[in-house]
Amino acid sequence: MAVDLQQIGKRFRFYTNLKELEMEQLKTMTGSDETTLSNIICGKNYALDELVAIVKHFEDLNPQWLIYGEGSMFKPMSEDGTCRDGQKGCLKKDKVAYLGQMREMLQELDAAECAKGHHADVDALKAKLDEYKATH
């Protein structure tokens, strides 16, 4: 399966928006420079080694989903319902204000995946957003 840098960028942007991570936070967390992070988010030319070095700083992010669009965005939770970083539900805080934006990004991601002939699990993500909205 070929790696699509633009799709990786869209998925990474979706993840960072969901986690409410700004560029300064990303630079601090990863030790990467703004140019490298911007290139990844924009899907521009970058080395996969740079991506791997950055992704290792996000314990709840599923690299299989990020790179190939397969599986869940988040790694499986532990039995007590927390992620590896100890956060409940893998989300930093209440995301109700972001549901509209996330839905739009999912639609964009879904359209791009379909155009490439990929079959990402976007419907499951939409359902999770709806479930989250209903409970908060």
Side-chain angles (χ1 to χ4, degrees):
M1 181 179 296
V3 173
D4 185 331
L5 298 181
Q6 289 183 338
Q7 289 300 97
I8 292 170
K10 287 178 182 181
R11 287 189 284 270
F12 189 64
R13 187 178 71 220
F14 182 83
Y15 171 82
T16 57
N17 283 345
L18 185 66
K19 299 286 279 192
E20 299 176 3
L21 297 171
E22 301 293 329
M23 183 60 74
E24 289 304 315
Q25 292 170 296
L26 291 172
K27 287 171 27 182
T28 301
M29 289 172 67
T30 64
S32 297
D33 60 81
E34 188 167 343
T35 302
T36 300
L37 290 165
S38 292
N39 284 347
I40 291 171
I41 290 170
C42 295
K44 293 183 180 177
N45 198 19
Y46 58 87
L48 286 179
D49 288 344
E50 294 172 324
L51 178 67
V52 169
I54 289 168
V55 169
K56 70 180 182 182
H57 296 281
F58 302 99
E59 293 184 11
D60 64 343
L61 178 59
N62 179 356
Q64 188 75 14
W65 173 82
L66 179 66
I67 296 171
Y68 300 109
E70 297 174 353
S72 172
M73 177 184 351
F74 296 111
K75 291 179 181 175
M77 291 187 285
S78 63
E79 289 181 21
D80 66 354
T82 59
C83 293
R84 292 179 178 210
D85 60 6
Q87 296 176 356
K88 200 79 163 160
C90 299
L91 299 177
K92 189 170 74 176
K93 60 183 179 180
D94 183 23
K95 303 294 178 232
V96 175
Y98 288 92
L99 289 176
Q101 180 186 6
M102 294 299 106
R103 182 167 286 287
E104 288 174 19
M105 291 182 76
L106 276 172
Q107 289 169 345
E108 178 186 336
L109 196 58
D110 188 36
E113 290 286 343
C114 290
K116 297 280 185 183
H118 301 158
H119 302 286
D121 198 8
V122 174
D123 289 334
L125 286 172
K126 287 178 185 175
K128 285 184 180 185
L129 282 172
D130 290 339
E131 178 184 325
Y132 187 78
K133 182 179 178 181
T135 61
H136 291 84

